[in-house]
Amino acid sequence: MPEPTKKEENEVPTPAPAPPPEEPNKEKEAGTAPPKDEEEVFPPNALPPGLCSRALERKDSEWSLGESPATEEQEKQNANSQLSTLFVEKPQTGKVKVGGNITFIAKVKAEDLLRKPSVKWFKGKWMDLASKAGKHLQLKETFERQSRVYTFEMQIIKAKENYAGNYRCEVTYKDKFDSCSFDLEVHESTGTTPNIDIRSAFKRREVKQQEEEPEIDVWELLKNANPNEYEKIAFQYGITDLRGMLKRLKRMRRVEKKSRAFAKILDPAYQIDKGGRVRFVVELADPKLEVKWFKNGQEIRPSTKYIFEHKGSERIMFINNCALTDDSEYYVTAGDEKCSTELFVREPPIMVTKLLEDTNAYCGERVELECEVSEDDANVKWFKNGEEIIPGPKSRYKVKVEGKKHTLIIEGATKADSAEYSVMTTGGQSSAKLSVDLRPLKILTPLTDQTVKLGKEICLKCEISENISGKWTKNGLPVQEGDRLKVVHKGRIHKLVIDSALIEDEGDYVFTPDAYSVTLPAKVHVIDPPKIILDGLDADNTVTVIAGNKLRLEIPISGEPPPKAIWSRADKAITEGSGRIRAESYPDSSSLIIDTAERDDSGVYKINLKNEAGEAYANIKIKVVDIPDPPVAPNVTDVGDDWCIMNWEPPVYDGGSPILGYFIERKKKQSSRWMRLNFDLCKETTFEPKKMIEGVAYEVRIFAVNAIGISKPSMPSKPFVPLAVTSPPTLLAVDSVTDTTVTMKWRPPDQIGAAGLDGYVLEYCFEGTENWIVANTDLIDKTKFTITGLPTDAKIFVRVKAVNAAGASEPKYYSQPILVKEVIEPPKIRIPRHLKQTYIRRVGEAVNLVIPYQGKPRPELTWKKDGAEIDKNQINIRNSETDTIIFIRKAERSHSGKYDLQVKVEKFEENASIDIQIVDRPGPPQVVKIEDVWGENVALSWTPPKDDGNAAITGYTIQKADKKSMEWFTVIEHYHRTNATITELVIGNEYYFRVFAENMCGLSEDATRTKESAVIAKDGKVYKNPVYEDFDFTEAPMFTQPLVNTYAIAGYNATLNCSVRGNPKPKITWMKNKVAIVDDPRYRMFSNQGVCTLEIRKPSPYDGGTYCCKAVNDLGTVEIECKLEVKGGLSFCRLLLQGVPPNIIDSYLRDLQSSNPEEY
């Protein structure tokens, strides 16, 4: 509901009640606000009950009751309230800077108060600040016993701009009430503070800083605005405390205006009880004016609830059956003017119809305090000694409501519950006293004295007439509960239980009930028969002593009284004295002493204890031990390359202690230095010495070890020499297979050893059998062998062994069965890298080209040159199982051309081409002409030679000769054009010129000379500038260096290179398998001075394929392709760098993969 506003222009002033005399303003303590200026104060006590809180916010308004006048009882309450001034010191208006702290203090005299009064702090109209306490707001209260004054403080910390406004402090005590309003002004400081709503600040939320707006004088707006615009202005400019601003506005002088439309306006406020009827009346100056009624800005239409009447110039509105929702602001408009009022609807007070009664109870009983009120399910508050009781799940207090009946229930009452209890409603209260006392205590079962054995349970039990707690003491000290001692309280029975009684548990025990002076005593006596403690001995009570050492065996004993100990051996008592074997006794132990133990001292010794509580005995076995005898000489049963296996028998006498293990030593036969082989004891009677040198004789010996020590060494073993078989052969693979034979190949063993390698044995067995057949009757030295006489379509397993003087090695198996049937392998040609581009040789040089291939059975090879059969008289062709060779002893230019190779295996075929270019020196230029002579210059031109030597002309060399001497001198070398200008000639001389052609083989053998001579005239001539035609530099794209088929290694970057020229500069596009490569991070493309490069980062077999480079400009398009094949592994790279042909590498890798598929 919006805050009510007041129309001071239209109100008719009525005398207000005189304010009570105030005490002089006292000086505030540090941090409090300064005293407020003189201000008109209207105590809320002058208003009817129920309107006090709202009157505080409307204290400048006048009040008029509706058709429900106040009763006599209300008038009495009003009269009493006018005299109920509780404040001794009221909070005063204060000022503070943004970010500063301020404290407001209210003091209440407590001389006539039986309990602490209730104080509430408010901001604005309804906001209770008690729930907003936090880092920005703190509430504090103290009580001075000497002056009997309650001090209540409200401290605002780090004030902000929107904290400014009107505040209110209310104090209540029973039927007394007092209130005081005060203002807080917050001024801007030098720092920038965000404009935060105080409600949000109290909610502990962060509020974003509002955007800065132009400064507007809100006071001027309020002074010059109509009251009906106050709410609009407050909303527009974020005024949260409009009432405080209006209170300040009241002090300012205003010019009262007389209403032209209304002869009589509405009263400032009306009050009506809930369910009553209220009547609003205005009188118009002009009865013809149209009147409209509004509620909170919304027009009211006639209905059964709202009734309108016209009586002359009076306009009347009735509101029937008023509810709490009708509590609002109302105004009526006539023409351009309006007048407003406030309607307050109050609920009828709830009365206490049945008062509380004083109650007496005993501790532990259930107490119920009952009362009845005038309304069902009314809001009722309970108090204990003036403090409100808040029931809840964890509270001892429960409230039961049955219609008008309210009951306060206390379960298990205690003395602390004795107090004055009161119940309060909105219209009354009642109080009663509760007294809780103790019942007389009776001892039903007293404690009894007990005697228990050590380790048994002690249980002290008593029973009293009341279910109350108590305390246990032992020898006057409180008993502390633990894992062994438990205190049990169940109803009226109390127990003290001690598990496993100890000697220290003996004493005087007393149980004392709480709140009573009665004690229940009992004595506990603990007895302990004699015991022999053998915890330090073995399970069979055996004590071991080394021969020659002294034994002192101390056995702990216990018993009450201390028992007497007697030692004996074979029914012969051992006395206490100074003999070699003697006994000693002490209160808590008994000792047996043997000086210089001997083997005969071994035996069973008996200790016997006796006291008044009983008797105990124990047998103790004493064992005298020594080092064992040496073992017998060990035997060497097996010998390897650097190891042997030896065993031995345990020694005959173990020294009276079990053999723990053995130490082993060895030495070379020619040496006297023994070396220990194991630092950890060997538990078995076998051992395997290692790391010996092959071919060297060794001896070994043994030491036996028991708990006492190490025996003497055994006799040495017989000498032995380590020799070992080789490791298995490696890389067993199938070389070839026919219908009746299988050829296998392998690599020598990795480790051969000192015994060397005598040869190999190749064995095979048919699939489904385990009968291995030796393929070679005699040892073979080679690492390749053909197994013959095999049935066609059979499957065999193959293994190979290496044999030397030590025997045969472990076999190397071929991983899968081999089918005895010739396998067709499609042909494949491996063109070397240097033959993938044009192969160039000079005339007269030899041509020797090796082209590897593969295929099974042996392929058929066909060579052609430029589509025709090769003349074998000029070109020699030699074929083998793995490659073909083209050999030209002396190359001629006629040997240039395209050579096609076809490899065919049955229906499979593979083709490849090689371009061979045989070059020679070019012929001379055709014609050399003197185009012009001027000054010291001669312009020459010539035509290219007819014969370029089967290679591109790379340049020309120009020479000159004086006609007189005819000695030739070079003028220009490596000149690329077919015209040139010769300068700096001697005037008066006559010159001849000649030109040589040049290609990659060198200069032409002959030169072409000018037919005429050029005379350099002495007299000057007029120079005629030659006319040059513009040269057309445009050119379609053309690859000057093609792409070549390339091998790449998996995991290593690969590059494809080519060069292109063209004008305008062509656009380069790279493609893989006819698909353009765009934005792929695995590829990088470069182009520099016409050289195009494609880099493939760490390729995999997936990156293999056909790559294409495409060049495009306005004059045309050109493409060039190459194949990229990616090989995997470092082995291929290393073999390729070593110069091994690729077809051999590929065959080797396939065999390797088939022999060891798990590693690849």
Side-chain angles (χ1 to χ4, degrees), residues 51-70:
L51 291 179
C52 295
S53 62
R54 278 178 269 180
L56 293 174
E57 295 152 358
R58 299 169 174 83
K59 63 183 180 179
D60 297 330
S61 303
E62 297 180 356
W63 299 87
S64 175
L65 300 179
E67 294 186 354
S68 179

Side-chain angles (χ1 to χ4, degrees), residues 342-363:
E342 291 277 350
L343 173 62
F344 295 92
V345 181
R346 121 184 137 166
E347 293 186 2
I350 299 173
M351 308 302 293
V352 180
T353 58
K354 181 180 178 181
L355 303 179
L356 296 175
E357 296 180 355
D358 294 343
T359 304
N360 295 325
Y362 287 114
C363 291

Side-chain angles (χ1 to χ4, degrees), residues 99 126 184 222 336 439 472-473 677 870 920 927 945 1075 1124 1153:
W126 305 111
L184 172 62
L222 291 174
D336 297 334
R439 294 179 185 270
W472 290 87
T473 60
L677 301 181
I870 294 178
D920 196 2
V927 178
V1075 178
L1124 174 67
Q1153 184 176 1

Side-chain angles (χ1 to χ4, degrees), residues 275-462:
R277 184 186 188 197
V278 68
R279 176 174 176 264
F280 295 149
V281 181
V282 295
E283 185 176 347
L284 300 177
D286 184 2
K288 296 180 180 180
L289 292 175
E290 182 183 358
V291 174
K292 291 184 180 181
W293 295 86
F294 295 86
K295 173 186 177 183
N296 287 338
Q298 295 183 355
E299 185 177 357
I300 301 173
R301 301 293 182 182
S303 64
T304 56
K305 185 174 182 67
Y306 300 99
I307 301 174
F308 300 101
E309 290 185 2
H310 292 192
K311 291 182 180 180
S313 60
E314 290 185 347
R315 301 292 183 266
I316 306 171
M317 180 181 69
F318 294 94
I319 302 177
N320 297 324
N321 193 19
C322 290
L324 294 178
T325 56
D326 296 324
D327 188 303
S328 182
E329 177 191 18
Y330 295 83
Y331 65 86
V332 58
T333 61
D336 297 334
E337 296 188 11
K338 77 172 183 178
C339 62
S340 62
T341 186
E342 291 277 350
L343 173 62
F344 295 92
V345 181
R346 121 184 137 166
E347 293 186 2
I350 299 173
M351 308 302 293
V352 180
T353 58
K354 181 180 178 181
L355 303 179
L356 296 175
E357 296 180 355
D358 294 343
T359 304
N360 295 325
Y362 287 114
C363 291
E365 292 183 343
R366 174 190 173 104
V367 178
E368 296 184 359
L369 301 177
E370 298 180 357
C371 70
E372 292 185 3
V373 296
S374 59
E375 296 289 340
D376 290 340
D377 299 328
N379 186 14
V380 173
K381 292 187 178 181
W382 291 88
F383 296 87
K384 175 184 177 182
N385 290 337
E387 295 185 1
E388 183 179 356
I389 297 174
I390 301 176
K394 297 183 180 180
S395 176
R396 296 181 57 250
Y397 301 97
K398 298 181 180 179
V399 176
K400 181 180 178 182
V401 180
E402 298 176 349
K404 298 180 181 180
K405 182 179 179 181
H406 292 255
T407 306
L408 177 65
I409 301 174
I410 305 174
E411 297 287 352
T414 62
K415 273 194 169 185
D417 295 325
S418 298
E420 179 181 359
Y421 292 82
S422 59
V423 62
M424 181 177 292
T425 64
T426 57
Q429 67 175 5
S430 175
S431 62
K433 291 185 178 180
L434 172 63
S435 177
V436 182
D437 296 324
L438 296 172
R439 294 179 185 270
L441 184 67
K442 295 181 181 179
I443 300 175
L444 303 181
T445 303
L447 295 177
T448 58
D449 296 342
Q450 292 189 15
T451 300
V452 296
K453 290 185 178 182
L454 186 70
K456 299 297 182 180
E457 181 182 88
I458 302 174
C459 182
L460 299 177
K461 176 181 177 181
C462 66

Side-chain angles (χ1 to χ4, degrees), residues 79-94:
N80 294 334
S81 299
Q82 293 178 4
L83 301 176
S84 300
T85 303
L86 299 176
F87 281 117
V88 175
E89 180 180 335
K90 299 181 179 180
Q92 303 297 323
T93 296

